[in-house]
Amino acid sequence: MKKIGVMNSDISRVIADMGHMDWLSIGDAGMPVPKDTEKIDLCVQSELPSFIDVLKNVLIEMKVQKIYLAEEIKEQNPNQLRNIKAVLPDVDIEFVPHKDLKKMLGNTHAFIRTGETTPYSNIILESGVAF
């Protein structure tokens, strides 16, 4: 039995299967997920688990070189943007319109749905190289 890191077997599997520059997404409870994208649904109730807690857990095992966020997070959810920058301080950020971010989900290995209900709490993580 695994005793540290990402304990969810689906998330752990997806991270282990990723290569350099592959994408994994994490998002809020309302984000529409393309039907061909694997959805790992962690939401048990509103705000549980939170977006930032899931992001921190994923980062235990995943090397990230770049992230994609909705442009709208700057105005609509600056607290969440600060939280993201705090846990990924040295990672490049590309801001795109929210409508484009939703389209980009079709290129991710999986979408992890959280219980987050604050606006624009969605991210695409681009994997880096750990060596």
Side-chain angles (χ1 to χ4, degrees):
M1 179 177 175
K2 191 172 183 176
K3 68 178 195 174
I4 60 168
V6 177
M7 301 300 286
N8 181 285
S9 59
D10 291 324
I11 298 171
S12 187
R13 170 189 46 82
V14 169
I15 294 170
D17 285 344
M18 293 177 69
H20 184 217
M21 298 182 75
D22 285 343
W23 288 358
L24 174 65
S25 54
I26 303 170
D28 60 41
M31 186 69 150
V33 182
K35 77 176 186 177
D36 293 333
T37 299
E38 178 181 359
K39 180 169 73 172
I40 302 170
D41 195 343
L42 302 181
C43 181
V44 294
Q45 69 181 45
S46 180
E47 298 304 320
L48 188 62
S50 73
F51 167 86
I52 202 69
D53 285 341
V54 173
L55 176 59
K56 287 177 183 177
N57 184 250
V58 167
L59 294 176
I60 292 169
E61 294 191 3
M62 184 177 172
K63 172 72 172 170
V64 175
Q65 68 181 19
K66 184 177 182 178
I67 61 172
Y68 299 85
L69 299 171
E71 183 74 34
E72 293 87 343
I73 196 172
K74 294 175 185 176
E75 295 292 323
Q76 299 295 318
N77 200 347
N79 288 336
Q80 192 72 280
L81 179 56
R82 276 191 294 279
N83 292 337
I84 293 166
K85 287 180 175 181
V87 298
L88 290 160
D90 300 318
V91 174
D92 291 336
I93 301 173
E94 184 172 330
F95 293 96
V96 298
H98 184 62
K99 65 180 179 63
D100 292 343
L101 190 74
K102 289 191 280 190
K103 291 176 187 172
M104 293 165 68
L105 293 180
N107 295 320
T108 65
H109 280 245
F111 177 84
I112 303 168
R113 180 178 180 246
T114 71
E116 189 68 45
T117 59
T118 63
Y120 304 104
S121 292
N122 303 288
I123 191 169
I124 295 175
L125 306 170
E126 183 176 284
S127 60
V129 177
F131 54 87

